[in-house]
Each structure stands twice: as C-alpha cells, then as structure tokens.
Amino acid sequence: MLSLWGGVRSSLLYVTHSSEEALGVGNRIALLSPHPGRMRAEINSHAFGLHSLGSDDFQATAQRIHGLLFESDGATE
C-alpha cells in the first residue's frame, strides 16, 4: 500500500482494525464509535512510521488508542 501511495501521492483513506497498523502507515487516525459511526477522537500520527514500531512512544500511543476505543464512559477527545 505504501509503495502504491508513493506513486500517486494523493490523499488516501485506509480502513483498518489494527491500531498498530494505523500508527505505522497513517498520518491522521480517526477513531469512530459504533452505531452510529461518529468521530470519537482524532490522533495525529505524523511522528510514527514503520521505523518506530515497538518504540516506547509508539506503544504508549497504541495503548491510548485502545483505551479510547474501549472506554465505557463515551468520552471524546
């Protein structure tokens, strides 16, 4: 996907259920709520890439995303 994007260099919407994958390939991550799908939070992930997989900051942000997705209070950011 990254090599394809490198050839066209236009905006791309990529849907995944993996927070690690989203952090590794995305620039902005939109977290959606279930039924109805509304924007729950937006994460700026410009600092991350495939080079940062496993770093402390990367793992902390992945845990933050997990918390936002599975919190039961419905809080938004």
Side-chain angles (χ1 to χ4, degrees):
M1 188 216 38
L2 288 176
S3 63
L4 175 65
W5 176 79
V8 294
R9 294 295 236 184
S10 62
S11 295
L12 177 69
L13 175 64
Y14 183 70
V15 178
T16 181
H17 289 93
S18 169
S19 55
E20 289 84 3
E21 183 177 35
L23 283 171
V25 299
N27 291 322
R28 291 184 351 194
I29 300 170
L31 302 178
L32 302 178
S33 67
H35 312 293
R38 299 192 187 210
M39 179 88 76
R40 182 164 180 151
E42 182 175 338
I43 307 290
N44 178 342
S45 58
H46 285 91
F48 303 110
L50 297 178
H51 65 280
S52 57
L53 296 173
S55 72
D56 290 341
D57 288 341
F58 184 94
Q59 292 301 320
T61 304
Q63 287 297 324
R64 179 173 166 238
I65 291 171
H66 187 272
L68 287 167
L69 288 172
F70 297 106
E71 287 174 348
S72 61
D73 63 14
T76 60
E77 190 176 284

